[in-house]
């Protein structure tokens, strides 16, 4: 995983610099999301690394699948990645780009996994508390995992707050063993 990130980072930085220069952050987000989705598809992934296809054929296959959704700069990125045999990195490039964009815009994506569906009031209170703690705007998504029994697990980048009953029971069991 770290190797993929290392390989993808220069491309993501270059795309981000281009997007900033042209004031096209959202357009690039859309293009990269489209490219990443198609590149992550199992059938397309086979085409992108097929040894009997030239780099140009691999790039054209991806561009054709994306249809009219890409601008010329994104098509050029696909060509460069194909020449360097880096097309499978597109999902990682897109993820890194979104991280750079979030840093610039001072936002953070937060995933809240709870035992039960959060009400809109609970979600709003949690978002406000996280905004104050993290000192940035919060884009929150929620998931339900009934195995947590109660409480929630909050993930914001590399920060994880485990307030679930399952997590607390695990900590208690560890404390009792030592």
């Amino acid at each position: 995983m770290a190797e993929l990130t290392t390989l993808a980072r220069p491309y993501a930085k270059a795309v981000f610099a281009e997007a900033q220069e042209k004031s096209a952050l959202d357009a690039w987000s859309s293009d990269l999301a489209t490219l990443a989705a198609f590149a992550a598809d199992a059938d397309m992934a086979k085409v992108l690394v097929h040894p009997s296809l030239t780099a140009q054929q691999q790039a054209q296959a991806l561009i054709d699948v994306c249809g009219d959704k890409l601008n010329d700069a994104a098509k050029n990125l696909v060509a460069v990645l194909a020449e360097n045999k880096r097309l499978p990195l597109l999902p990682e490039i897109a993820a890194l780009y979104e991280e750079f964009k979030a840093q610039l815009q001072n936002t953070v994506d937060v995933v809240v996994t709870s035992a039960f569906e959060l009400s809109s009031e609970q979600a709003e209170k949690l978002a406000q508390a996280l905004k104050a703690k993290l000192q940035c705007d919060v884009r929150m998504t929620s998931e339900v995992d009934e195995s947590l029994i109660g409480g929630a697990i909050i993930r914001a980048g590399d920060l994880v707050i485990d307030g679930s009953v399952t997590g607390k029971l695990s900590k208690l069991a560890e404390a009792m063993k030592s």
Side-chain angles (χ1 to χ4, degrees):
M1 184 66 150
E3 184 180 324
L4 291 179
T5 301
T6 302
L7 293 172
R9 186 173 288 112
Y11 296 103
K13 283 183 177 179
V15 170
F16 185 70
E18 169 76 11
Q20 275 188 294
E21 185 180 308
K22 305 278 188 198
S23 298
L25 291 171
D26 292 334
W28 269 105
S29 281
S30 175
D31 287 347
L32 287 172
T34 300
L35 287 168
F38 283 115
D41 179 70
D43 293 331
M44 181 54 72
K46 290 176 187 174
V47 171
L48 298 181
V49 296
H50 199 282
S52 68
L53 295 176
T54 65
Q56 188 176 17
Q57 290 171 325
Q58 292 170 340
Q60 195 58 49
L62 182 58
I63 291 169
D64 289 346
V65 169
C66 292
D68 299 346
K69 297 176 183 167
L70 302 178
N71 63 33
D72 289 338
K75 291 176 184 176
N76 187 42
L77 172 67
V78 170
V80 170
L81 291 172
E83 285 176 27
N84 295 310
K85 301 190 183 323
R86 299 287 192 242
L87 285 172
L89 293 177
L90 276 165
E92 188 68 25
I93 292 169
L96 287 169
Y97 175 87
E98 290 302 324
E99 286 179 24
F100 296 149
K101 182 179 168 191
Q103 284 177 335
L104 177 72
Q105 296 174 339
N106 198 27
T107 61
V108 65
D109 290 324
V110 175
V111 178
V112 178
T113 307
S114 60
F116 303 99
E117 188 71 37
L118 293 176
S119 70
S120 59
E121 183 180 316
Q122 290 170 323
E124 182 62 31
K125 282 183 182 179
L126 184 57
Q128 291 302 323
L130 289 170
K131 182 177 181 178
K133 179 175 178 57
L134 301 174
Q135 297 178 342
C136 60
D137 291 330
V138 173
R139 291 187 306 229
M140 196 167 79
T141 57
S142 61
E143 301 172 347
V144 175
D145 181 358
E146 295 174 0
S147 70
L148 296 179
I149 303 172
I153 299 173
I154 301 167
R155 289 182 178 83
D158 59 356
L159 172 70
V160 177
I161 303 170
D162 188 350
S164 68
V165 172
T166 305
K168 290 179 181 180
L169 288 173
S170 295
K171 287 178 189 173
L172 179 61
E174 279 183 40
M176 292 176 70
K177 286 180 184 177
S178 56

